[in-house]
Amino acid sequence: MVSNLAGGGQPHHGVEPGSQLGALETYAAQAHGYLSVGGDQLGQLPGLLRPMVLESWLRSVRGGVDPMDDGDGRGLRGADLERYRDAHAIAAVMPLVDKLLLRDATSTGLIVVVADQFGRVLSVHGNADRVQAAAEAGLREGNDLSERRVGTNAIGLVVRTGRAAWIHGPEHFLHRMHQITGAAAPVHDPDGRLVGVLMIAGGVRVARPEILALVKAAATAAEMDLLLAAVRSGQDRRGRTDAPAPERLGLEVLGLGQPQLTVAGERVPLSQRHAEILLLLAEHTEGLSADHLALLLDDADLDNATIRAAMSRLRSVVGSNVFGSRPYRLRVPIATDVEALRAALDSGDVDTAVRLYAGPVLPRSTAPGVIDIRDELRVRLRTAVLRSGDASVLSRWTAGAEGRDDAAAWAAYRATVDRESPLYAQIEAKIRVLDRRMGADATQLQRFDS
């Protein structure tokens, strides 16, 4: 049944999923040949394995992992696993993971694996046959997939490096995992600590760039959910004398509400200017000089003294160690709702993107840099909505402020509805209203011109 999972590809260090898979498999097979005679020459054979994979293989060799190991009887099972899983922090975001990943997995033949911060599999979801095939390959609930235990695999690499990873077929250190292609991404708690790993595994369909983007988008959304859960539970780690400095921030700038920053579990209202600065620094991870930041904030070209004063006030809100200077840059990772929406669009998940879109980016802002972000995001989202041909997506878009008077969106929505249904008549009536309004506007403009 393992063959039910065959296929794959991955994008790391310049290798895009789906590209050069045949060559990747050939080189990995050659590397396994060297491994079978001791593995001493692996480090002297550049090019057979991608650098990250080679480093992992070498660690696996040094750690004494047997590539022919086919036993998985040492996992956590039964009631012990259930108690551990139910009490784990990742359980709080499972409803969101279910909405973003699990519901589609069963229908598409892919599986979703949820692991803890150590690489232990908490749950495996998908079609029963695929789940069974995954279990035979080693992706069984309760199993330890850490690199030290089973060698190179996507979940183990995420745990080891803290970064999203793809592993395809024979790139796995264990032979029994060669039928698996997996894309995995880390989930962090509000303080930046790894709390779990999400992975999609399956066949050739996993070997696409949008699969990794989808997993990363789900992980980012889960992190935002954990931040909001911390707020709702009343956590206030900043008020405790033993609390560490915040290691991760959350920024919400979509919609008409006041911009919000989440710091160590506390949701802090932001002024318009502070939200603009944080968003611009989050978008420019390389940093911004005072002059460049001034241009992005105001066409009038703010002077450096004004920028320094604004940064000083912002430090009093978020902490003195959050920013570097010369250039101004973020020292702390920041998860933004803009980033989450972009990730959903990158993955092709238009439904999630529309759900995340609470409104324009800082709609009251006149900062040139913010206007560019706002326009880029809205155009990308609207284009994706119109191209989706999805009735539920178009329904949600036309029900919102952005799409309420969007004639093209209403026309696209009409095309998805049965002509005999009452809904079709309602949409048709709305389109006629918009057409009349546009005609009246055009007539008024002609009178003004004359």
Side-chain angles (χ1 to χ4, degrees):
M1 296 178 69
V2 174
S3 61
N4 288 339
L5 291 168
Q10 80 194 54
H12 250 314
H13 297 290
V15 179
E16 288 297 325
S19 68
Q20 303 176 343
L21 289 185
L24 185 151
E25 292 167 0
T26 299
Y27 294 147
Q30 293 177 21
H32 274 285
Y34 288 106
L35 190 63
S36 66
V37 294
D40 296 334
Q41 301 181 56
L42 283 177
Q44 284 73 49
L45 297 170
L48 287 186
L49 295 171
R50 293 178 294 122
M52 179 178 286
V53 177
L54 175 59
E55 292 168 6
S56 177
W57 274 41
L58 292 173
R59 288 192 298 267
S60 301
V61 170
R62 290 193 295 268
V65 179
D66 180 1
M68 302 306 295
D69 181 16
D70 61 358
D72 62 352
R74 287 165 280 185
L76 196 60
R77 303 284 186 253
D80 290 336
L81 174 60
E82 289 183 16
R83 282 192 294 270
Y84 179 68
R85 179 171 54 211
D86 292 345
H88 197 275
I90 203 74
V93 298
M94 285 308 296
L96 179 67
V97 174
D98 177 73
K99 182 175 70 174
L100 298 181
L101 294 181
L102 306 189
R103 294 178 187 178
D104 291 335
T106 301
S107 60
T108 60
L110 303 178
I111 64 169
V112 176
V113 182
V114 181
D116 69 7
Q117 67 272 36
F118 308 111
R120 184 176 299 280
V121 177
L122 298 179
S123 55
V124 182
H125 309 264
N127 175 276
D129 289 341
R130 301 295 194 272
V131 170
Q132 180 58 36
E136 294 178 5
L139 301 182
R140 184 189 301 275
E141 291 185 352
N143 278 13
D144 181 357
L145 294 186
S146 64
E147 190 180 79
R148 63 173 179 77
R149 171 66 185 86
V150 299
T152 306
N153 69 94
I155 287 177
L157 268 178
V158 171
V159 171
R160 173 81 187 197
T161 67
R163 302 194 300 273
W166 282 68
I167 292 294
H168 168 57
E171 288 189 312
H172 287 90
F173 194 76
L174 292 191
H175 279 262
R176 64 185 166 102
M177 301 182 79
H178 283 190
Q179 302 301 318
I180 298 171
T181 295
V187 177
H188 299 90
D189 70 10
D191 289 325
R193 293 183 292 261
L194 182 68
V195 71
V197 182
L198 303 180
M199 180 174 78
I200 290 180
V204 176
R205 283 169 296 177
V206 179
R208 300 200 309 253
E210 55 266 32
I211 294 297
L212 183 61
L214 174 61
V215 178
K216 292 169 70 175
T220 298
E223 291 175 346
M224 293 294 290
D225 211 47
L226 287 172
L227 284 169
L228 295 176
V231 174
R232 288 192 294 267
S233 67
Q235 285 182 318
D236 187 4
R237 280 181 284 272
R238 291 203 305 166
R240 287 162 37 183
T241 57
D242 61 345
E247 296 181 11
R248 194 170 184 85
L249 304 172
L251 179 64
E252 298 171 56
V253 293
L254 292 172
L256 292 170
Q258 184 172 23
Q260 301 282 337
L261 180 71
T262 302
V263 185
E266 182 183 5
R267 209 173 184 191
V268 181
L270 289 175
S271 70
Q272 182 85 3
R273 181 61 86 202
H274 287 169
E276 290 168 345
I277 292 172
L278 280 173
L279 176 61
L280 290 170
L281 291 177
E283 293 282 307
H284 296 267
T285 56
E286 74 282 4
L288 292 168
S289 67
D291 290 338
H292 192 179
L293 181 57
L295 287 171
L296 293 174
L297 287 172
D298 199 314
D299 279 327
D301 191 6
L302 302 175
D303 59 49
N304 286 355
T306 302
I307 294 296
R308 285 196 297 271
M311 295 300 294
S312 177
R313 289 191 292 271
L314 183 54
R315 283 190 175 94
S316 69
V317 174
V318 301
S320 59
N321 295 323
V322 170
F323 300 106
S325 56
R326 298 182 182 178
Y328 292 118
R329 64 191 182 281
L330 287 168
R331 289 175 173 164
V332 176
I334 184 166
T336 72
D337 48 4
V338 169
E339 174 191 18
L341 197 155
R342 277 206 194 102
L345 289 173
D346 289 342
S347 72
D349 188 354
V350 186
D351 182 70
T352 296
V354 174
R355 291 175 188 273
L356 290 172
Y357 190 67
V361 177
L362 295 175
R364 299 183 184 91
S365 174
T366 58
V370 173
I371 291 173
D372 288 344
I373 297 168
R374 181 194 303 152
D375 292 346
E376 174 261 334
L377 199 65
R378 184 186 182 281
V379 169
R380 276 199 67 190
L381 179 59
R382 181 175 182 270
T383 300
V385 168
L386 293 178
R387 290 177 176 173
S388 70
D390 187 312
S392 63
V393 167
L394 289 159
S395 172
R396 190 170 294 109
W397 176 255
T398 52
E402 292 280 323
R404 193 173 295 134
D405 295 328
D406 187 339
W410 281 103
Y413 187 17
R414 179 179 58 186
T416 68
V417 177
D418 185 347
R419 296 180 65 91
E420 304 302 320
S421 73
L423 179 58
Y424 186 93
Q426 295 173 20
I427 296 174
E428 184 70 24
K430 175 66 176 181
I431 292 174
R432 285 198 294 269
V433 169
L434 292 176
D435 287 344
R436 284 198 298 270
R437 185 182 303 166
M438 292 173 63
D441 290 343
T443 301
Q444 289 184 357
L445 183 60
Q446 288 173 354
R447 289 174 180 173
F448 178 79
D449 288 341
S450 62

